[in-house]
């Protein structure tokens, strides 16, 4: 009986394992991949994948466009070179196929309707971060037919949708809690916007301002990274020039600020009219008791009919916008194009086509700005106004007033044009336009979809996400008699800063900190004489599911731990899981933004999903 | 000579009565015995070092007990008993001390030197042999 127990000697670490552990601790010390950093890495991956998906969609659109028009140049150019009958028939056929795709997709997937969604905004704002794969695919294919056949609607909607879908799939792969899944979908949306418009800052702020309704560092960081990676990837694939390089701009008089401010107010009045027009046309189409393919074919016929005389209305308006800045169109040409583009866009949008209204909105704002600028030039020739300035400021102001997101609009116009000269005026006009519009409009461009889905659904989804949803079950634990070797091995195996120590019936006893033991990992003599109970912190903070988020946040503020253990109650102290600081902050940020949902957040860059939700695709 | 591990621990604890670093002797005793129940800390060559991390001491305290006759501790017949009390906050110091003892008390000649020490100076100098 004069020897120490030999059983424990079997738990010793081999020298190689010990060296590996020391190396890992060194890595953790120097690179410390905390949860936030892991989220950032995922954001970058999502940004890259989103850009690739966007590019694949662009290529697929070009391919279908080639089949329909025989050209792969811009959609307007392609239509201008078509015979008149074909200008009419291509949008009709494309709309028919788009409608059939939606209709058949509906029939295939309609049997299962539940929590999954096709709407990335809904997935971020009130959902659980799941986006249905099959339903999204159906919508993407439908959008492919519409966009490639000249429908007056943008591809940015499907681009964002696809990027968000990939992010949702990644969220499922990570098995992370709901707030992080939402955050990943938000990163996907930011990547989609950034790659569609070559606008990384606006991409991030679009999601922060419109979808999340909040600008919190915790959520903005991943959004920015995702946007930037998506932008760089897109630039590597298709080039780096701004979408609408503005001509050289110059202000001849500081008094020009006055008509620009006045324009801000004017466009603030007109934006609600534009939104009403879109809604009215949509209402008219919804009253038609025809099947979806027929409704969409009617929409395609309207676009085709207009395209016979004005092929410029085809597509999202990107080429039209570019021409606006580089061709000296007179007042009446711009007015005519504005009217026909409005008609084509509202017909396409109203008929149920899947696609975006973002770029058409940019064109409409810009055209209104040009018209206003020409009138200013006429009325006040001494100002020597440059209508281009009014076009650019109008573009941003109308976007701000329609979307209810002035910050995003300012950044978007700046990134689209890379013109700093107009930024101060743009800022003032955007803010004025936004405030003016909000007097008349309570539901901005992106405030529709959720309302359509019904208050009951909205409320139930909100109620489903509580602090309990943030708990990650089955945390890594050790018994109190676990040897130092076991502790070291566990730190080697898992990327945690703390390991929880439990007693009988999983009673939480304390936590062993990597910080406390890292200097002793190369001491083999400790492996069998020190146990977890010797070095654990018995006062390690813990929370109960009954406590509120504010209390949880307060406890996080008292420690440097990234996670806290959750016990069922403070009497039994039974460990039921852990909660992460990142999840909590994202959750709180989301909670704070939700009251604004009814005001500004909601719909999509595209139509509300006509395709029924499919079952959850995958795990959990 | 103590007849059991608990008796040996009590005798060593009694020497701490007047120690200014002691806050609560009863709490220290309870903490050490609780620790013994979980997994008695032992070393080969007949060394036991009952210890506890507890706020019943202000600073690290250590009492050394040498017994010519082995005392039956669970898992070892101890001739040298090192009773240690460590404040809760002093995890690093605890690990440093434990590491030092575990490293030095494995050599038989060190142990012989410690066992034959007549005072604290001789006891400490025995460690220097290594």
């Amino acid at each position: 009986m004069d020897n120490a127990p030999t059983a424990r000697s079997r738990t010793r670490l081999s020298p190689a394992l010990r060296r590996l552990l020391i190396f890992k601790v060194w890595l953790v010390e120097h690179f410390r991949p905390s949860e936030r950093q892991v989220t950032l890495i995922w954001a970058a991956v999502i940004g890259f994948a989103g850009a690739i998906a966007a590019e694949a969609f662009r290529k697929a659109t070009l391919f279908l466009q080639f089949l329909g028009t025989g050209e792969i140049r811009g959609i307007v150019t392609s239509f201008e070179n078509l015979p008149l009958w074909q200008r009419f028939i291509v949008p009709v056929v494309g709309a028919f196929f788009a409608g059939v795709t939606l209709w058949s997709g509906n029939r295939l997937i309609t049997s299962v309707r539940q929590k999954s969604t096709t709407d990335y905004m809904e997935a971020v704002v009130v959902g659980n971060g799941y986006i249905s794969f099959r339903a999204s695919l159906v919508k993407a294919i439908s959008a492919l037919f519409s966009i490639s056949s000249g429908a007056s609607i943008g591809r940015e909607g499907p681009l964002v949708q696809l990027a968000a879908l990939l992010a949702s799939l990644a969220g499922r792969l990570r098995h992370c809690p709901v707030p992080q899944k939402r955050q990943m979908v938000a990163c996907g949306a930011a990547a989609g916007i950034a790659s569609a418009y070559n606008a990384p800052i606006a991409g991030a702020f679009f999601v922060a301002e419109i979808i999340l309704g909040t600008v919190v560092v915790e959520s903005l960081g991943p959004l920015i990274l995702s946007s930037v990676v998506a932008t760089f990837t897109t630039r590597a694939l298709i080039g780096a020039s701004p979408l609408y390089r503005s001509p050289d701009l110059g202000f001849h008089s500081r008094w020009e600020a006055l008509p620009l401010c006045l324009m801000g107010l004017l466009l603030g009045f007109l934006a609600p009219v534009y939104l009403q027009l879109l809604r009215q046309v949509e209402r008219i189409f919804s009253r038609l008791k025809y099947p979806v393919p027929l409704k969409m074919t009617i929409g395609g016929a309207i676009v085709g009919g207009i395209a016979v005389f004005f092929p410029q209305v085809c597509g999202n308006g990107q080429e039209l916008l570019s021409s606006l800045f580089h061709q000296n169109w007179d007042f009446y040409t711009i007015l005519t194009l504005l009217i026909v583009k409005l008609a084509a866009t509202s017909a396409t949008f109203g008929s149920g086509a899947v696609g975006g209204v973002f770029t058409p909105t940019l064109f409409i704002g810009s055209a209104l700005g040009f018209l206003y600028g020409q009138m200013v030039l006429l009325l006040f020739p001494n100002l020597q106004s440059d209508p281009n300035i009014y076009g650019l400021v109008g573009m941003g102001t109308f976007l701000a007033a329609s979307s209810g997101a002035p910050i995003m609009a300012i950044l978007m116009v700046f990134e689209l044009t890379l013109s700093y000269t107009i930024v101060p005026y743009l800022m003032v006009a955007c803010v004025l336009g936004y405030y003016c519009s909000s007097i008349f409009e309570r539901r901005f461009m992106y405030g529709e979809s959720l309302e359509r889905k019904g208050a009951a659904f909205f409320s139930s989804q909100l109620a489903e996400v509580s602090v309990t949803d943030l708990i990650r079950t089955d945390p890594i634990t050790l018994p109190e008699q676990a040897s130092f070797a076991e502790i070291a091995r566990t730190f080697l195996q898992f990327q945690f800063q703390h390991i929880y120590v439990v007693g009988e019936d999983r009673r939480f006893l304390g936590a062993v900190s990597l910080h406390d033991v890292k200097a002793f990992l190369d001491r083999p003599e400790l492996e069998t004489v020190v146990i977890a109970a010797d070095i654990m912190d018995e006062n390690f903070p813990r929370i109960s599911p009954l406590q509120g988020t504010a209390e949880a946040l307060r406890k996080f503020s008292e420690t440097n731990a990234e996670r806290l253990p959750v016990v069922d109650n403070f009497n039994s102290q039974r460990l039921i899981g852990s909660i992460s600081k990142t999840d909590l902050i994202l959750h709180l940020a989301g909670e704070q933004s939700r009251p604004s949902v009814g005001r500004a957040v909601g719909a999509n860059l595209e139509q509300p999903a006509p395709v029924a939700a499919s079952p959850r695709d995958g795990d959990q | 000579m103590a007849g059991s591990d608990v008796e040996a621990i009590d005798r060593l604890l009694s020497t701490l009565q007047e120690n200014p670093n002691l806050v609560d002797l009863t709490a220290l005793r309870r903490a050490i015995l609780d620790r013994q129940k979980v997994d008695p800390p032992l070393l080969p060559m007949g060394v036991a070092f009952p210890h506890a991390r507890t706020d019943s001491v202000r600073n690290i305290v250590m009492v050394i007990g040498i017994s010519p006759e082995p005392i039956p501790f669970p898992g070892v017949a101890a001739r040298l008993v090192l009773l240690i009390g460590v404040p809760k906050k002093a995890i690093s110091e605890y690990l440093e001390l434990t590491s030092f003892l575990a490293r030095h008390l494995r050599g038989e000649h060190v142990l012989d030197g410690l066992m034959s020490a007549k005072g604290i100076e001789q006891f400490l100098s025995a460690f220097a042999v290594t």
Side-chain angles (χ1 to χ4, degrees), chain B residues 14-62:
Chain B
S14 64
T15 64
L16 285 174
Q17 295 264 13
E18 305 299 322
N19 194 301
N21 286 315
L22 184 72
V23 176
D24 184 342
L25 186 63
T26 311
L28 176 62
R29 179 179 186 275
R30 191 168 54 241
I32 288 176
L33 292 181
D34 284 349
R35 174 65 177 85
Q36 286 290 104
K37 281 181 203 158
V38 174
D39 189 17
L42 307 166
L43 286 173
M45 320 294 293
V47 180
F49 58 110
H51 67 263
R53 265 183 57 235
T54 165
D55 285 333
S56 56
V57 291
R58 290 188 186 89
N59 290 303
I60 293 179
V61 294
M62 183 162 80

